[in-house]
Amino acid sequence: MDTPIETIELGGVGLLRFLWRQLTSMRTALILLLLLGVAAIPGSLIPQRTQNPMKVRDYFIDDPSVASWMDRFSLFDVYGSAWFSAIYILLFISLIGCVLPRSFEHLRAVRALPPLTPKNLDRMELHQSWAGSGDELTAARAWFKQKHFRIREFEGAISAEKGYVRETGNLFFHLALILILVGVSVGALFGMKGEAIVNVGERFINIPTTYDSLSYGKLFNDASLAPFSLKIEDFQAKYDPLTNAPEDYTLRVSAIESPGSQAKSKVIKVNAPLSFGSTNIYLQANGYSPVVTVRDKNGAVVLQGPTPFLPQDANLTSIGAIKVPDSDPQIGFVSSFLPTASRDKVRGGISAFPEALDPKLLFSVWQGNLGLDRGIPQSVYRIDTSKMQQIGLHSLKVGETFVFSQGSITFDGFVPWVNLQVVRDPGKLYALLGGIVAILGLLASLFTRRRRIWIRVNQSSQVEVAGLAKNGAPGLDKEIAAFVTHLKKVEK
Amino acid sequence: MTHSSWAYVSNYLIYSAMTVYTLAFFAHAYETAWAVRSPAAEPTQGNLLTKTLDYSRTEKVARIATAFMILGFLLLFAGVVARGISAGRVPWGNMYEFSITGALAFCGAYLAALRKYDLRWLGLLVSIAVLLTLGTAITVLYRPSAPLVPALKSTWLVIHVSAAIISGGVFLLANTIAAAYLYLDSMEQKGERKAWAKRLPSLEVLDQLSYRLIAFVFPLWTFAVIAGAIWAEHAWGRYWGWDPKETWAFITWVAYAAYLHARVTVGWRGRKAAWLCLFAGSTFLFNYVYVNIWGTGKHTYSGL
Ligand code: HEM
């Protein structure tokens, strides 16, 4: 495959041709392959924006100048960076430039007959010669046919070849890698991904505003969203009473595929998403939403309903913020929800078990300005208390009410929430197909031996046998020994 | 029997396997020492498929050593199975379980290769490696047997993890051989092989051997990575997300692809190929040790 470096012709075409040869040479392919492996390393050691935005933010807070330098080299977005893309794009250009011509060449070779038997067989590997009976060619032909060799006869000699599958498999393997890349690209261009926290009992409609976070591929837009909607009917989580580890999550929904169609009852589990065409809906995380009623001094309801809280540990100790912007002054509750309330010397109130066996709502009450209208996006789980004043601190069990100077809060109960992840990836089937073909191609190429065996019988019945194993594949010695034994048996 | 008594049986079997591997280690050590004390007149160098060493004087001890290796394998196998029964699932839920199964795969790869090639000279190294792995597993990594977290409850666990563990066992065997290659090669470059090393196979044979092992499992590793991607698609909604574990699996894959390329097309042999093999193998180990214990990401099943 390696082309010797030719003298560079002057002129653009010559230079281009030279570069192309260099790029599609095996040595370049090897270097690019190693480079791809090494280039993938930093992204696994440095936090990446796509997976761990919080940690990336910590880098910027700890040492902004180093972080911004790192950012200049895309070290927080390695796998989408220009330099990483450059490596794999060059590798794939090299691959195409290498594999396509080879495929045509191989197609021709498969159609052609094996080359003629060489004149001097005694120069070849595993050469043997003996005085035969003259019937060897017939016997050899039958043997080759039975073993599915491809044969060519010429003037008392047979060339037999086998193992074309090796090259075929190798080509399919490389072509399949291209198919995988196509699948990945299609997914990146025409796909979407979004997440939404939905309380049990609520409805999820697949429109942009329903999502907490949503990202589109370059060629995807709002109109491409699949028109389904779900009602979250029920969520059950089972935990091991000994280790507190989760054992099973079951989410029941009633699903409407498109407006006007019948609602169907469906189950979503962690390893079993719900699909609408190439859109899948996954159960990603779960937690609790305490349900409270907040009244003002006059007893009028100013807020009622569930607020999703964010789990902090495996026992679902959760934190959250209940914000009442419509009261005057504004009121906020900085809260924790403990599904199974317990106390810890260091951490204070924590949950001892993820199931809600003894639920408790802990909170401090703040009045003042919630800062919601300043246009800066705020975490829904936290309250900026810098412009507020604490006016109370309490904990409630289900059904209890706490009265403070500006009104009261009643802890009505709780509902579970689930985090749904909605993903559309129209390219994944190509990638899967590519993966399957790649494995089959590899098996074919790594487990077949390409080899030739020759036999010549001259006028005086002198028999000559020799062989050639491509890529130094082992086992030809045994095969030729079996061949010769067969011929000698026929002679007797 | 109750689940906890199965866990007890499993631990008991693992300890027994360790005892037997210790015996195997001593038998191999004795065999080596004996063969060195009375070296053969001519170092025998055969083809890969025939015997490569002169065992004429030590055949009996070598056989005993191999018998211990087989017995250790069986005990370890039973221990892994009992662990699975105790947890009511495949025994691949945390790092302790990965390690005992990995040791089983490594030893299995050795015994399987032994059927084809005479690798008994490697038994000393294999028994030490298995002992160290099991020792670390049962002292540092041990966790009581427990059911799986929901994300691991999938047929893909069985498919993906078994393929990965078997590949790992064979990769490490190939690595051990490549390391032996480099060691013997530097010894030969300084002059003659030392007395004890004279009976080991030629560099050519070692080079071929590690290549064949890698060429044999590369498709399996490819399969393990793809099966992992399919499972990730089922569980997390994307088949590839550059999670550290996935990234390192990819790096290992690319490194071994580069190794095969280097051999087949650019003609690397010997030292260069052995170094590349060690590099690729260390990416596998790194993924197992570093990413499991200190890494972040979705694959945090070490249970530590
Ligand atoms: C994504 C990048 C690539 C990967 C993962 C890859 C992987 C592999 C693997 C695993 C083999 C070994 C199969 C065997 O021994 O039969 C192989 C062989 C080969 N590859 Fe690649 N390859 C890549 C890119 C390329 C490129 C860019 C070229 C051409 C410049 C190329 C040309 C070849 C050739 C000629 C063989 C040898 C076939 C033989 O004679 O057995 N590959 N490749």
Side-chain angles (χ1 to χ4, degrees), chain A residues 94-95 98 102 166 170 173-174 445-446, chain B residues 218 261 264-265:
Chain A
S94 166
L95 184 59
C98 174
R102 255 168 37 123
R166 181 187 170 88
N170 183 273
F173 168 72
H174 286 86
S445 86
L446 289 169
Chain B
F218 185 75
H261 253 221
V264 179
T265 59

Side-chain angles (χ1 to χ4, degrees), chain B residues 249-273:
Chain B
F250 174 75
I251 294 171
T252 303
W253 185 75
V254 167
Y256 279 114
Y259 173 89
L260 291 177
H261 253 221
R263 282 199 83 99
V264 179
T265 59
V266 195
W268 281 17
R269 291 278 184 283
R271 285 190 80 78
K272 273 191 190 167

Side-chain angles (χ1 to χ4, degrees), chain A residues 398-446:
Chain A
V398 174
E400 292 178 344
T401 299
F402 172 63
V403 181
F404 50 96
S405 58
Q406 300 294 337
S408 71
I409 177 168
T410 306
F411 180 25
D412 301 323
F414 57 89
V415 292
W417 57 256
V418 289
N419 188 7
L420 296 181
Q421 186 182 345
V422 180
V423 182
R424 177 174 188 260
D425 185 348
K428 67 186 174 198
L429 277 181
Y430 301 107
L432 178 63
L433 188 66
I436 293 169
V437 174
I439 292 175
L440 295 178
L442 260 185
L443 288 174
S445 86
L446 289 169

Side-chain angles (χ1 to χ4, degrees), chain A residues 1 22-30 32-33 36 88 90-99 102 166-167 169-171 173-174 177-178 441-442 444-447 471, chain B residues 211 215 218 222 253-254 256-258 260-261 264-265:
Chain A
M1 271 289 129
Q22 286 304 300
L23 182 60
T24 56
S25 81
M26 285 312 307
R27 198 164 292 275
T28 312
L30 178 60
L32 287 172
L33 210 48
L36 184 67
Y88 73 76
L90 279 177
L91 181 58
F92 273 87
I93 294 175
S94 166
L95 184 59
I96 293 167
C98 174
V99 170
R102 255 168 37 123
R166 181 187 170 88
E167 177 80 354
N170 183 273
L171 290 172
F173 168 72
H174 286 86
L177 296 182
I178 300 174
L442 260 185
S445 86
L446 289 169
F447 292 108
N471 318 89
Chain B
Y211 166 63
F218 185 75
T222 309
W253 185 75
V254 167
Y256 279 114
L260 291 177
H261 253 221
V264 179
T265 59

Side-chain angles (χ1 to χ4, degrees), chain A residues 1-2 26-27 29-30 33-34 36-38 40-41 43-45 48 50-52 55 79 84 166 173-174 177 180 183-184 193 240 243 245-249 269-273 280 282-284 421 423 425 427-428 431-432 435-436 438-439 442-443 446-447 471-472 474 477-478, chain B residues 47 49 145-154 208 211-212 214-220 222-224 226 230-239 241-244 247-248 250-251 253-255 257-262 264-266 268-269 272 276 279 283 286 290 296-298:
Chain A
M1 271 289 129
D2 248 316
M26 285 312 307
R27 198 164 292 275
L30 178 60
L33 210 48
L34 282 170
L36 184 67
V38 173
I41 294 177
S44 74
L45 306 177
Q48 300 292 294
T50 45
Q51 289 141 9
N52 217 337
K55 276 233 174 104
Y79 306 106
F84 191 77
R166 181 187 170 88
F173 168 72
H174 286 86
L177 296 182
I180 293 178
V184 172
K193 182 177 161 184
D240 179 6
T243 61
E247 280 182 340
D248 187 46
Y249 299 123
K269 292 197 155 235
V270 171
N271 276 311
N280 281 358
Y282 299 85
L283 174 59
Q284 212 60 342
Q421 186 182 345
V423 182
D425 185 348
K428 67 186 174 198
L432 178 63
I436 293 169
I439 292 175
L442 260 185
L443 288 174
L446 289 169
F447 292 108
N471 318 89
D477 47 350
K478 280 193 183 162
Chain B
N47 158 312
L49 299 167
S145 179
L148 287 177
V149 296
L152 286 179
K153 278 199 187 126
S154 166
Q208 273 292 319
Y211 166 63
R212 288 217 199 138
I214 289 169
F216 173 76
V217 287
F218 185 75
L220 186 63
T222 309
F223 173 75
I226 291 174
I230 296 174
W231 183 15
E233 202 272 333
H234 282 272
W236 300 324
R238 86 289 184 291
Y239 55 88
W242 295 108
D243 183 89
T247 304
W248 281 92
F250 174 75
I251 294 171
W253 185 75
V254 167
Y259 173 89
L260 291 177
H261 253 221
V264 179
T265 59
V266 195
W268 281 17
R269 291 278 184 283
K272 273 191 190 167
L276 195 49
F279 167 71
T283 65
F286 183 84
Y290 179 84
T296 53
K298 289 174 176 284

Side-chain angles (χ1 to χ4, degrees), chain B residues 283-299:
Chain B
T283 65
F284 182 89
L285 272 184
F286 183 84
N287 199 357
Y288 183 64
V289 177
Y290 179 84
V291 179
N292 262 1
I293 299 181
W294 291 284
T296 53
K298 289 174 176 284
H299 291 81

Side-chain angles (χ1 to χ4, degrees), chain B residues 115-177:
Chain B
R115 289 173 60 89
K116 216 167 157 193
Y117 314 115
D118 192 351
L119 279 181
R120 287 181 289 183
W121 55 275
L122 204 59
L124 195 60
L125 271 180
V126 173
S127 53
I128 297 177
V130 170
L131 269 175
L132 284 178
T133 312
L134 290 180
T136 319
I138 209 141
T139 52
V140 183
L141 305 171
Y142 187 78
R143 284 296 167 276
S145 179
L148 287 177
V149 296
L152 286 179
K153 278 199 187 126
S154 166
T155 328
W156 288 105
L157 172 71
V158 184
I159 297 169
H160 165 68
V161 179
S162 59
I165 289 180
I166 294 171
S167 311
V170 180
F171 282 150
L172 294 185
L173 190 61
N175 251 30
T176 318
I177 295 170

Side-chain angles (χ1 to χ4, degrees), chain A residues 185-201:
Chain A
S185 314
V186 168
L189 291 175
F190 298 95
M192 59 76 64
K193 182 177 161 184
E195 284 190 24
I197 286 183
V198 191
N199 289 313
V200 168

